[in-house]
Amino acid sequence: MRVSRFAALTSAFFVASSLALTGAGAAEAAQLTAAGGYVALGDSYSAGVGAGSYDSGSGACKRSTKAYPALWAAAHSPSSFSFAACSGARTGDVVSGQLGALGSATSLVSITIGGNDAGFADTMTTCALQGESACLARIDQARTYIKNTLPGKLDTVYAAITNKAPSARVVALGYPHFYKLNGVCVGGLTEKSRTAINAAADDINGVIAKRAADHGFAFADVNSTFAGHELCSGSPWLHSVTYPVDESYHPTAAGQASGYLPVFGSAA
């Protein structure tokens, strides 16, 4: 995701269910998946914004060598690896600009998408700058979009992926909760606002999980690994407001390696 020019914040939200392989089964599955090509799609949570070590050739997309797709590819050596995820991407951007590498030889696809469509950067800006009442109202607006409009947007993306790469295993990853409630943060948003933000995360992840399942995709729930590492936890794997501003509310390198990578690896 990407924060607007006038904002000092950015975001994306999250949670639901996961598909996991364990033990030898996971290792064998990874070997089979790596035998074909891997394409990483989506927004800044897949690009690795916030993790540093950006590929200068990726420009404003800010793809990181410490992002979970790059880490998985380095560990498993797929026959090809196309890193198409881009900061700020919405569902329409994936359809119009990220599907070029997909094909019959693609065996694995990962994607995080939907947070920018739901307007979470604007939501976080509102929450930070306009107080609790405006924050809660903006969150309600985002949740209405998630319920009524996002499912169709995801259907369009997921159908396009299947059409281009019919044999691929597709893993749709969710977003983590931002906040540990009743945590150690002093000041900032109210607890009621933090609770509502986490609830919106649950909403978006629930929609992603349902639409993914209906398209035959796996869903990977990162809340299982981020638990205890949210903001206000004392050991966060997410940036709070930071500089560069576009890294705010994004996973750190630890969040990519220890939050996203193991869950994706289990589902791949």
Side-chain angles (χ1 to χ4, degrees), residues 4-33:
S4 57
R5 288 178 298 175
F6 61 84
L9 302 165
T10 187
S11 83
F13 294 25
F14 344 79
V15 79
S17 57
S18 68
L19 177 70
L21 298 173
T22 57
E28 292 168 2
Q31 290 174 356
L32 290 172
T33 302

Side-chain angles (χ1 to χ4, degrees), residues 133-146:
S133 179
C135 175
L136 296 177
R138 184 62 183 89
I139 292 170
D140 284 344
Q141 181 183 351
R143 296 180 76 177
T144 297
Y145 181 96
I146 291 165

Side-chain angles (χ1 to χ4, degrees), residues 144-170:
T144 297
Y145 181 96
I146 291 165
K147 177 182 178 181
N148 296 329
T149 306
L150 186 60
K153 298 282 189 180
L154 293 177
D155 281 337
T156 298
V157 175
Y158 295 167
I161 292 171
T162 298
N163 183 58
K164 296 273 290 184
S167 300
R169 178 167 181 79
V170 183

Side-chain angles (χ1 to χ4, degrees), residues 3-4 6-11 120-130:
V3 81
S4 57
F6 61 84
L9 302 165
T10 187
S11 83
F120 284 120
D122 178 66
T123 300
M124 292 306 294
T125 300
T126 300
C127 289
L129 301 179
Q130 298 184 31

